[in-house]
Amino acid sequence: MLTKKGKYGLKAMVHLAGQPPGEATLVTDIAVSNHIPKKFLDTILGELRNAGFVNSKKGKGGGYTLARPAHEIRVGHIVRVLDGPLAPIQCASKSSYRRCDDCTDEKHCSVRLIMLEARNAISTVLDNRTLAEMRALSESDSAHLMYYI
C-alpha cells in the first residue's frame, strides 16, 4: 500500500511538473495547494532532493524545481525512493529480496508466486508511466470542459 509519504511525494512532484521549467515553487505553496502538512512535506522534498529528483534554492526567488524534465522521471522511481520496494513481501522483491524464514519450497510457494505477479503488475504500470503523463491525467478532465455564460 502506498504510504502518506509516497502519496504526498507524488502530489508534490505532480505540482512541480505543472510549473514552468526552472520556476521555483515555495514549499508552502505546494503544501497549501495539495493539503499536505508543511513540516512533513519539507522532509519528503529533502528525500527527493537527495535522490536527485528536485533541486532547491534558498533565499529570494528560492523554492523547489524538478531536477529533470517531467517526461524523464518515472513514477515507479519516485515511489521506490519514498516507500521502498514495490513488492508486497520481501521474497517477491527484485531490489530488496529476502527469503522468508518460514518458507520450505520457495519455487512452489503460492503466496510468493501471487505476490510476485502483483509486484510485476504494479511495476509494469509505475515504471512505464512518467511524471508528465501523471500530470496530464489530472488535466484531461478540465481540458474537455466548456463553459457557457
Side-chain angles (χ1 to χ4, degrees), residues 3-126:
T3 65
K4 279 192 176 185
K5 180 179 173 184
K7 182 179 177 181
Y8 291 164
L10 287 172
K11 284 181 160 195
M13 291 293 286
V14 167
H15 185 99
L16 291 173
Q19 303 306 306
E23 185 177 302
T25 305
L26 296 173
V27 68
T28 303
D29 294 339
I30 300 169
V32 169
S33 296
N34 293 282
H35 310 286
I36 303 170
K38 183 189 173 299
K39 191 169 178 111
F40 194 22
L41 185 57
D42 282 327
T43 302
I44 293 167
L45 289 171
E47 288 186 35
L48 291 170
R49 182 187 65 239
N50 292 340
F53 288 109
V54 298
N55 293 322
S56 64
K57 181 180 171 191
K58 294 185 182 214
K60 186 174 178 162
Y64 286 90
T65 58
L66 293 179
R68 298 187 310 262
H71 69 273
E72 293 179 10
I73 300 172
R74 299 281 170 188
V75 176
H77 296 156
I78 299 167
V79 172
R80 283 184 188 90
V81 162
L82 296 174
D83 279 352
L86 300 177
I89 57 177
Q90 284 187 319
C91 67
S93 177
K94 298 230 182 207
S95 60
S96 294
Y97 169 84
R98 189 173 64 83
R99 186 182 175 103
C100 295
D101 296 334
D102 60 342
C103 190
T104 57
D105 186 6
E106 188 177 69
K107 217 173 177 181
H108 298 99
C109 175
S110 57
V111 174
R112 178 182 179 275
L113 294 172
I114 199 75
M115 291 303 141
L116 188 57
E117 190 176 327
R119 181 252 172 242
N120 291 340
I122 292 168
S123 176
T124 297
V125 173
L126 299 182

Side-chain angles (χ1 to χ4, degrees), residues 122-139:
I122 292 168
S123 176
T124 297
V125 173
L126 299 182
D127 290 340
N128 288 298
R129 297 302 290 264
T130 66
L131 185 58
E133 291 171 319
M134 191 172 171
R135 172 74 189 182
L137 290 172
S138 65
E139 295 174 339

